[in-house]
Amino acid sequence: MNRPRATPAARTENTRSTEAAPGLKDTDRSTDGAHDLKDTDQSANDRGVIEQGATDRSPQEPGDARTRTRHPTPATAPTPSLADLRHHLTTHLDPAARTWLDHALDEAAAHPGIHGPISVWELRLAEAGRRCGAAHADAARVLILDAARAGIDALTRVYFQGTADERRAVLHALPHLVSGPGALPLIEDALRTNDTRLLGAAVGPYAARHLTAHAWRHAVLKCLFTGVPVDHVADLPQRAAGDGELARMLGDYAAERTAAGRTVPEDLHRVLDLTESVSVTSAPVTDHPHGKES
């Protein structure tokens, strides 16, 4: 149902969002692992996000009162477990790739941790795309990192010395391998990039649990700036619910784009709707929660 709403400018009192970089482009278009973890049985919501189509918004003129539709709330599901990933690869890889992965996992388990300039399991991370195919590379790398019992030091080395595909795999592995906020520097580094696939991985479950409210709000805005669908933002309905500061920042950004004669991203209206809802989670999310995710 359509309903009148105040202009975005009406949400702004004296301050405006400090984040501003509309129009940033994706600087990395590599194809290895292009499907991320979506292929771990999307029908069963293994990736943890159900993408829902947004309804059309009525046209509006800059400065006029807005009339827009209520948009579907992105639904989130639990992160796929390591067992889910292993089962998916076991059933989807061809025999040669399955044999390679089994050997790589056994090898990583036999020689875990960091050894010298490069560990044998780090070499297997580099091979995963070629051996398992782009659609399954992320999941294979996450399993190898787990088998190698990669701690924060190992994950940090892989992240900063590896390719964009390996960095993305590290970000996907964080909810499984790191229990506290110690790996936040990796999330923060990814959020400073304009690589949309790194950004999509960075706003996953680990960020949802450990980013401060201030940093998380700017991560959501970065997604809007760069065109990363907000469906990638884990626990978005829970963290956005009742967040007046996020609503103000969204209103400022919408007002800036409207004043410049540019369209307002449809995802912005979806998140703005979420800020007006009340969280129904049993346990509130804090800025620095602890506890291992799986």
Side-chain angles (χ1 to χ4, degrees):
M1 173 182 296
N2 289 349
R3 58 188 176 84
R5 184 182 299 276
T7 61
R11 297 178 179 274
T12 307
E13 296 295 335
N14 299 314
T15 60
R16 301 180 79 79
S17 171
T18 58
E19 183 95 23
L24 295 178
K25 64 180 180 179
D26 179 2
T27 58
D28 189 310
R29 294 288 186 180
S30 64
T31 57
D32 185 11
H35 298 288
D36 291 333
L37 301 183
K38 286 185 179 180
D39 285 338
T40 56
D41 194 0
Q42 184 76 351
S43 62
N45 302 329
D46 280 351
R47 191 186 180 283
V49 175
I50 303 173
E51 296 188 2
Q52 300 184 21
T55 57
D56 291 335
R57 182 166 50 91
S58 301
Q60 62 194 42
E61 294 296 329
D64 291 344
R66 253 186 356 220
T67 300
R68 62 183 175 84
T69 57
R70 176 69 64 173
H71 299 277
T73 298
T76 57
T79 308
S81 68
L82 295 171
D84 292 333
L85 297 180
R86 184 65 184 271
H87 175 74
H88 176 81
L89 292 182
T90 298
T91 56
H92 287 78
L93 291 178
D94 61 46
R98 199 160 54 239
T99 298
W100 177 88
L101 180 61
D102 289 342
H103 176 73
L105 295 177
D106 290 342
E107 200 173 39
H111 303 285
I114 297 175
H115 304 283
I118 188 166
S119 302
V120 64
W121 56 265
E122 293 179 83
L123 296 174
R124 304 300 169 249
L125 290 178
E127 295 177 18
R130 176 167 54 87
R131 297 284 192 169
C132 298
H136 306 299
D138 280 332
R141 290 187 176 109
V142 170
L143 291 176
I144 292 171
L145 289 168
D146 174 66
R149 299 195 288 280
I152 291 179
D153 289 344
L155 293 168
T156 299
R157 183 164 94 169
V158 171
Y159 180 88
F160 285 108
Q161 295 183 5
T163 65
D165 300 305
E166 290 162 19
R167 292 198 296 273
R168 190 176 61 253
V170 168
L171 298 174
H172 283 308
L174 292 181
H176 304 288
L177 303 182
V178 182
S179 59
L184 275 177
L186 306 185
I187 297 292
E188 292 162 352
D189 180 83
L191 291 174
R192 286 192 291 269
T193 75
N194 297 326
D195 181 337
T196 55
R197 291 168 61 217
L198 274 184
L199 290 172
V203 292
Y206 188 83
R209 292 179 182 270
H210 298 295
L211 277 180
T212 64
H214 176 78
W216 183 82
R217 292 179 189 118
H218 281 278
V220 173
L221 283 177
K222 185 67 176 278
C223 288
L224 295 173
F225 294 156
T226 57
V228 173
V230 295
D231 291 326
H232 287 281
V233 182
D235 297 337
L236 177 62
Q238 292 81 7
R239 287 209 65 165
D243 191 335
E245 177 62 12
L246 177 60
R248 182 194 67 78
M249 294 167 71
L250 293 170
D252 287 350
Y253 179 46
E256 290 169 3
R257 291 187 66 89
T258 300
R262 305 180 67 181
T263 61
V264 177
E266 196 68 30
D267 273 354
L268 184 147
H269 299 299
R270 298 174 66 193
V271 180
L272 193 58
D273 283 339
L274 290 174
T275 66
E276 298 173 355
S277 64
V278 178
S279 177
V280 293
T281 55
S282 56
V285 178
T286 61
D287 282 355
H288 288 293
H290 297 274
K292 190 165 184 177
E293 306 128 47
S294 61

